[in-house]
PDB file of all heavy atoms in Angstrom:
ATOM      1  N   PRO A 274      -9.828 -49.617   5.672  1.00  0.00           N
ATOM      2  CA  PRO A 274      -8.437 -50.081   5.798  1.00  0.00           C
ATOM      3  C   PRO A 274      -7.676 -49.238   6.814  1.00  0.00           C
ATOM      4  O   PRO A 274      -7.933 -48.042   6.966  1.00  0.00           O
ATOM      5  CB  PRO A 274      -7.878 -49.887   4.378  1.00  0.00           C
ATOM      6  CG  PRO A 274      -8.752 -48.854   3.756  1.00  0.00           C
ATOM      7  CD  PRO A 274     -10.105 -49.050   4.345  1.00  0.00           C
ATOM      8  N   GLU A 275      -6.738 -49.862   7.485  1.00  0.00           N
ATOM      9  CA  GLU A 275      -5.905 -49.173   8.468  1.00  0.00           C
ATOM     10  C   GLU A 275      -4.434 -49.372   8.108  1.00  0.00           C
ATOM     11  O   GLU A 275      -3.979 -50.508   7.951  1.00  0.00           O
ATOM     12  CB  GLU A 275      -6.180 -49.715   9.870  1.00  0.00           C
ATOM     13  CG  GLU A 275      -7.602 -49.476  10.365  1.00  0.00           C
ATOM     14  CD  GLU A 275      -7.834 -50.030  11.758  1.00  0.00           C
ATOM     15  OE1 GLU A 275      -6.844 -50.542  12.349  1.00  0.00           O
ATOM     16  OE2 GLU A 275      -8.965 -49.973  12.251  1.00  0.00           O
ATOM     17  N   ASP A 276      -3.709 -48.287   7.997  1.00  0.00           N
ATOM     18  CA  ASP A 276      -2.292 -48.364   7.670  1.00  0.00           C
ATOM     19  C   ASP A 276      -1.514 -48.954   8.844  1.00  0.00           C
ATOM     20  O   ASP A 276      -1.864 -48.739   9.999  1.00  0.00           O
ATOM     21  CB  ASP A 276      -1.731 -46.977   7.366  1.00  0.00           C
ATOM     22  CG  ASP A 276      -2.406 -46.328   6.170  1.00  0.00           C
ATOM     23  OD1 ASP A 276      -3.635 -46.454   6.048  1.00  0.00           O
ATOM     24  OD2 ASP A 276      -1.707 -45.701   5.367  1.00  0.00           O
ATOM     25  N   THR A 277      -0.458 -49.682   8.526  1.00  0.00           N
ATOM     26  CA  THR A 277       0.453 -50.165   9.557  1.00  0.00           C
ATOM     27  C   THR A 277       1.676 -49.262   9.609  1.00  0.00           C
ATOM     28  O   THR A 277       1.911 -48.449   8.711  1.00  0.00           O
ATOM     29  CB  THR A 277       0.896 -51.614   9.267  1.00  0.00           C
ATOM     30  OG1 THR A 277       1.643 -51.636   8.036  1.00  0.00           O
ATOM     31  CG2 THR A 277      -0.311 -52.536   9.134  1.00  0.00           C
ATOM     32  N   THR A 278       2.477 -49.404  10.652  1.00  0.00           N
ATOM     33  CA  THR A 278       3.629 -48.517  10.836  1.00  0.00           C
ATOM     34  C   THR A 278       4.727 -48.768   9.808  1.00  0.00           C
ATOM     35  O   THR A 278       5.569 -47.891   9.584  1.00  0.00           O
ATOM     36  CB  THR A 278       4.223 -48.703  12.242  1.00  0.00           C
ATOM     37  OG1 THR A 278       4.563 -50.087  12.437  1.00  0.00           O
ATOM     38  CG2 THR A 278       3.217 -48.273  13.309  1.00  0.00           C
ATOM     39  N   HIS A 279       4.752 -49.939   9.190  1.00  0.00           N
ATOM     40  CA  HIS A 279       5.850 -50.250   8.272  1.00  0.00           C
ATOM     41  C   HIS A 279       5.494 -50.027   6.804  1.00  0.00           C
ATOM     42  O   HIS A 279       6.259 -50.391   5.924  1.00  0.00           O
ATOM     43  CB  HIS A 279       6.308 -51.704   8.461  1.00  0.00           C
ATOM     44  CG  HIS A 279       5.282 -52.736   8.062  1.00  0.00           C
ATOM     45  ND1 HIS A 279       4.473 -53.343   8.978  1.00  0.00           N
ATOM     46  CD2 HIS A 279       4.940 -53.243   6.855  1.00  0.00           C
ATOM     47  CE1 HIS A 279       3.678 -54.201   8.353  1.00  0.00           C
ATOM     48  NE2 HIS A 279       3.938 -54.139   7.071  1.00  0.00           N
ATOM     49  N   GLU A 280       4.355 -49.420   6.537  1.00  0.00           N
ATOM     50  CA  GLU A 280       3.963 -49.251   5.146  1.00  0.00           C
ATOM     51  C   GLU A 280       3.611 -47.800   4.818  1.00  0.00           C
ATOM     52  O   GLU A 280       3.197 -47.029   5.685  1.00  0.00           O
ATOM     53  CB  GLU A 280       2.764 -50.134   4.801  1.00  0.00           C
ATOM     54  CG  GLU A 280       1.457 -49.675   5.428  1.00  0.00           C
ATOM     55  CD  GLU A 280       0.264 -50.546   5.047  1.00  0.00           C
ATOM     56  OE1 GLU A 280       0.457 -51.597   4.427  1.00  0.00           O
ATOM     57  OE2 GLU A 280      -0.865 -50.157   5.374  1.00  0.00           O
ATOM     58  N   ARG A 281       3.802 -47.462   3.565  1.00  0.00           N
ATOM     59  CA  ARG A 281       3.283 -46.212   3.000  1.00  0.00           C
ATOM     60  C   ARG A 281       2.373 -46.614   1.844  1.00  0.00           C
ATOM     61  O   ARG A 281       2.836 -46.937   0.757  1.00  0.00           O
ATOM     62  CB  ARG A 281       4.410 -45.314   2.502  1.00  0.00           C
ATOM     63  CG  ARG A 281       3.916 -44.006   1.839  1.00  0.00           C
ATOM     64  CD  ARG A 281       5.093 -43.185   1.329  1.00  0.00           C
ATOM     65  NE  ARG A 281       4.672 -41.927   0.745  1.00  0.00           N
ATOM     66  CZ  ARG A 281       4.417 -41.756  -0.555  1.00  0.00           C
ATOM     67  NH1 ARG A 281       4.536 -42.780  -1.395  1.00  0.00           N
ATOM     68  NH2 ARG A 281       4.053 -40.571  -1.020  1.00  0.00           N
ATOM     69  N   ALA A 282       1.086 -46.634   2.113  1.00  0.00           N
ATOM     70  CA  ALA A 282       0.109 -47.005   1.097  1.00  0.00           C
ATOM     71  C   ALA A 282      -0.206 -45.798   0.224  1.00  0.00           C
ATOM     72  O   ALA A 282      -0.204 -44.657   0.697  1.00  0.00           O
ATOM     73  CB  ALA A 282      -1.166 -47.517   1.759  1.00  0.00           C
ATOM     74  N   VAL A 283      -0.479 -46.038  -1.058  1.00  0.00           N
ATOM     75  CA  VAL A 283      -0.753 -44.927  -1.980  1.00  0.00           C
ATOM     76  C   VAL A 283      -2.218 -44.858  -2.391  1.00  0.00           C
ATOM     77  O   VAL A 283      -2.624 -43.938  -3.085  1.00  0.00           O
ATOM     78  CB  VAL A 283       0.147 -45.004  -3.228  1.00  0.00           C
ATOM     79  CG1 VAL A 283       1.611 -44.860  -2.835  1.00  0.00           C
ATOM     80  CG2 VAL A 283      -0.083 -46.298  -4.015  1.00  0.00           C
ATOM     81  N   TYR A 284      -3.022 -45.836  -1.986  1.00  0.00           N
ATOM     82  CA  TYR A 284      -4.470 -45.811  -2.178  1.00  0.00           C
ATOM     83  C   TYR A 284      -4.886 -45.554  -3.627  1.00  0.00           C
ATOM     84  O   TYR A 284      -5.614 -44.621  -3.929  1.00  0.00           O
ATOM     85  CB  TYR A 284      -5.121 -44.830  -1.207  1.00  0.00           C
ATOM     86  CG  TYR A 284      -5.068 -45.368   0.197  1.00  0.00           C
ATOM     87  CD1 TYR A 284      -4.155 -44.857   1.118  1.00  0.00           C
ATOM     88  CD2 TYR A 284      -5.871 -46.438   0.574  1.00  0.00           C
ATOM     89  CE1 TYR A 284      -4.071 -45.402   2.400  1.00  0.00           C
ATOM     90  CE2 TYR A 284      -5.790 -46.981   1.852  1.00  0.00           C
ATOM     91  CZ  TYR A 284      -4.890 -46.457   2.753  1.00  0.00           C
ATOM     92  OH  TYR A 284      -4.809 -47.009   4.005  1.00  0.00           O
ATOM     93  N   HIS A 285      -4.398 -46.418  -4.507  1.00  0.00           N
ATOM     94  CA  HIS A 285      -4.972 -46.481  -5.849  1.00  0.00           C
ATOM     95  C   HIS A 285      -6.480 -46.671  -5.741  1.00  0.00           C
ATOM     96  O   HIS A 285      -7.256 -46.053  -6.482  1.00  0.00           O
ATOM     97  CB  HIS A 285      -4.349 -47.649  -6.611  1.00  0.00           C
ATOM     98  CG  HIS A 285      -5.110 -48.064  -7.822  1.00  0.00           C
ATOM     99  ND1 HIS A 285      -5.266 -47.249  -8.911  1.00  0.00           N
ATOM    100  CD2 HIS A 285      -5.784 -49.204  -8.112  1.00  0.00           C
ATOM    101  CE1 HIS A 285      -5.993 -47.867  -9.831  1.00  0.00           C
ATOM    102  NE2 HIS A 285      -6.325 -49.045  -9.364  1.00  0.00           N
ATOM    103  N   THR A 286      -6.896 -47.524  -4.813  1.00  0.00           N
ATOM    104  CA  THR A 286      -8.307 -47.651  -4.461  1.00  0.00           C
ATOM    105  C   THR A 286      -8.425 -47.579  -2.946  1.00  0.00           C
ATOM    106  O   THR A 286      -7.535 -48.022  -2.222  1.00  0.00           O
ATOM    107  CB  THR A 286      -8.904 -48.983  -4.944  1.00  0.00           C
ATOM    108  OG1 THR A 286      -8.067 -50.069  -4.519  1.00  0.00           O
ATOM    109  CG2 THR A 286      -9.026 -49.019  -6.462  1.00  0.00           C
ATOM    110  N   PHE A 287      -9.531 -47.001  -2.476  1.00  0.00           N
ATOM    111  CA  PHE A 287      -9.836 -47.013  -1.052  1.00  0.00           C
ATOM    112  C   PHE A 287     -11.001 -47.975  -0.873  1.00  0.00           C
ATOM    113  O   PHE A 287     -12.140 -47.674  -1.237  1.00  0.00           O
ATOM    114  CB  PHE A 287     -10.212 -45.622  -0.536  1.00  0.00           C
ATOM    115  CG  PHE A 287     -10.399 -45.589   0.957  1.00  0.00           C
ATOM    116  CD1 PHE A 287      -9.316 -45.370   1.796  1.00  0.00           C
ATOM    117  CD2 PHE A 287     -11.646 -45.819   1.516  1.00  0.00           C
ATOM    118  CE1 PHE A 287      -9.476 -45.361   3.178  1.00  0.00           C
ATOM    119  CE2 PHE A 287     -11.816 -45.813   2.900  1.00  0.00           C
ATOM    120  CZ  PHE A 287     -10.726 -45.590   3.724  1.00  0.00           C
ATOM    121  N   VAL A 288     -10.690 -49.157  -0.355  1.00  0.00           N
ATOM    122  CA  VAL A 288     -11.653 -50.259  -0.323  1.00  0.00           C
ATOM    123  C   VAL A 288     -12.137 -50.490   1.102  1.00  0.00           C
ATOM    124  O   VAL A 288     -11.346 -50.839   1.986  1.00  0.00           O
ATOM    125  CB  VAL A 288     -11.027 -51.548  -0.889  1.00  0.00           C
ATOM    126  CG1 VAL A 288     -12.038 -52.687  -0.861  1.00  0.00           C
ATOM    127  CG2 VAL A 288     -10.537 -51.315  -2.315  1.00  0.00           C
ATOM    128  N   ILE A 289     -13.429 -50.305   1.303  1.00  0.00           N
ATOM    129  CA  ILE A 289     -14.038 -50.650   2.586  1.00  0.00           C
ATOM    130  C   ILE A 289     -14.676 -52.027   2.475  1.00  0.00           C
ATOM    131  O   ILE A 289     -14.892 -52.548   1.377  1.00  0.00           O
ATOM    132  CB  ILE A 289     -15.099 -49.612   3.008  1.00  0.00           C
ATOM    133  CG1 ILE A 289     -16.265 -49.581   1.995  1.00  0.00           C
ATOM    134  CG2 ILE A 289     -14.475 -48.237   3.174  1.00  0.00           C
ATOM    135  CD1 ILE A 289     -17.454 -48.743   2.448  1.00  0.00           C
TER     136      ILE A 289
END
Side-chain angles (χ1 to χ4, degrees):
E275 297 180 3
D276 299 41
T277 64
T278 56
H279 66 262
E280 71 179 8
R281 177 182 182 267
V283 297
Y284 289 104
H285 163 65
T286 51
F287 186 87
V288 180
I289 63 171

